[in-house]
Amino acid sequence: MSKKLFPTQEIGSLKKPSQLLKLVKDPDVSNEIKAKKRNDAALLNIRTLEDLGLDIIYDGEVRRVEMYEEPVRYIEGFDFAGKVRSWDNKYYNKARITSPVNYKNNFHENEFKFVKQNAKKEIKVPVTGAYTLADWSYNEHYKSKEDLVIALAKKVLRPLIKDLVKLGAKIIQIDEPAGTSHPSEMDIFRESINESVKGVNAKIVVHACFSGNDYKVLAPQMSEIKAQQY
């Protein structure tokens, strides 16, 4: 792991090339060609970040449809309800939670293996956090939001992170754009991170972002959240 006091890295996803978006949505293009184009875009992002001199590398999340929709596709208990506006002219496919959530398999495995194989520098894996997955969904199954958040942390995030660590991941970045959007729920947010990383042997990074957030409410929680970087 980097010995620098402040190793440099890109935070958040990189913009996907418009040509790639057009190609992957084309039903007439074979899955083999789509896979190759995704690999090409991922490799370009990796090399770009390395050429810029950054210390910690990833693929810019170029394979992921969207940070919420991508993991929800692979988690039991979710049913997509339709697109809703997130901000500006951006939309995401929002889901209903209609049954117990559960982890199916490591949906970031191929992405991580590709980055690990091709990166020349230290690498990280961004994962969407339990609190954001819950906050951006319609809860139609669990008695409370807290019950849903903790279930996602225990049943989905923790096994996902542990599987990534088994593959060799040393830095896990938990993305929580909804993290501080409800100041009265910071206890739930804190416990969601702690439950997600229980028993995990890796550097845990928490990434909180959203223009409507009040970051001051995070500060009192930071000493009790089991993360090494924000």
Side-chain angles (χ1 to χ4, degrees):
M1 196 165 287
S2 176
K3 300 300 182 184
K4 284 188 176 181
L5 184 60
F6 297 112
T8 55
Q9 60 183 305
E10 167 70 18
I11 305 295
S13 60
L14 299 179
K15 183 176 174 62
K16 297 179 182 67
S18 56
Q19 287 183 327
L20 176 64
L21 292 174
K22 183 178 178 180
L23 182 140
V24 297
K25 292 176 182 177
D26 190 338
D28 296 326
V29 177
S30 70
N31 289 334
E32 289 77 14
I33 292 177
K34 290 178 181 180
K36 183 182 184 305
K37 293 299 182 182
R38 285 191 177 99
N39 283 344
D40 291 345
L43 187 59
L44 177 61
N45 283 348
I46 291 168
R47 292 290 176 262
T48 298
L49 296 176
E50 289 177 337
D51 289 347
L52 287 170
L54 300 189
D55 301 301
I56 300 171
I57 303 301
Y58 69 134
D59 72 350
E61 301 176 34
V62 72
R63 301 175 190 280
R64 305 183 189 185
V65 175
E66 189 268 343
M67 69 169 296
Y68 167 87
E69 183 177 341
E70 182 72 19
V72 165
R73 286 178 170 191
Y74 305 101
I75 303 172
E76 291 180 1
F78 286 84
D79 293 308
F80 285 115
K83 296 206 172 188
V84 296
R85 187 176 182 180
S86 54
W87 56 276
D88 196 18
N89 65 339
K90 302 297 183 182
Y91 295 79
Y92 74 96
N93 205 2
K94 190 166 182 172
R96 301 158 54 228
I97 294 159
T98 56
S99 61
V101 296
N102 224 326
Y103 176 71
K104 294 180 186 177
N105 52 52
N106 185 347
F107 42 84
H108 293 321
E109 178 174 353
N110 291 336
E111 172 189 285
F112 174 73
K113 285 182 174 178
F114 185 87
V115 177
K116 184 180 179 182
Q117 180 181 353
N118 288 282
K120 300 172 184 176
K121 295 189 176 183
E122 194 167 16
I123 62 178
K124 68 175 181 179
V125 189
V127 300
T128 304
Y131 185 86
T132 293
L133 290 175
D135 190 63
W136 290 5
S137 301
Y138 299 115
N139 178 16
E140 299 178 6
H141 176 77
Y142 289 87
K143 290 182 179 179
S144 69
K145 183 176 181 179
E146 182 174 9
D147 288 346
L148 169 58
V149 171
I150 298 306
L152 283 164
K154 290 181 177 180
K155 301 290 187 179
V156 179
L157 266 294
R158 192 191 299 169
L160 168 65
I161 293 170
K162 284 188 172 183
D163 277 352
L164 288 166
V165 171
K166 286 178 184 176
L167 291 174
K170 296 179 180 178
I171 303 174
I172 303 292
Q173 175 182 298
I174 301 179
D175 291 333
E176 288 283 13
T180 62
S181 54
H182 304 286
S184 64
E185 296 178 358
M186 291 308 296
D187 287 349
I188 302 174
F189 175 70
R190 179 193 67 229
E191 291 310 308
S192 75
I193 301 292
N194 291 346
E195 287 293 344
S196 296
V197 304
K198 189 173 286 184
V200 171
N201 182 22
K203 179 180 180 179
I204 302 300
V205 180
V206 174
H207 167 209
C209 65
F210 204 48
S211 60
N213 281 355
D214 180 1
Y215 299 115
K216 293 192 296 290
V217 302
L218 178 59
Q221 303 287 341
M222 291 171 73
S223 63
E224 297 184 48
I225 293 176
K226 300 189 183 305
Q228 290 75 55
Q229 183 178 330
Y230 293 88

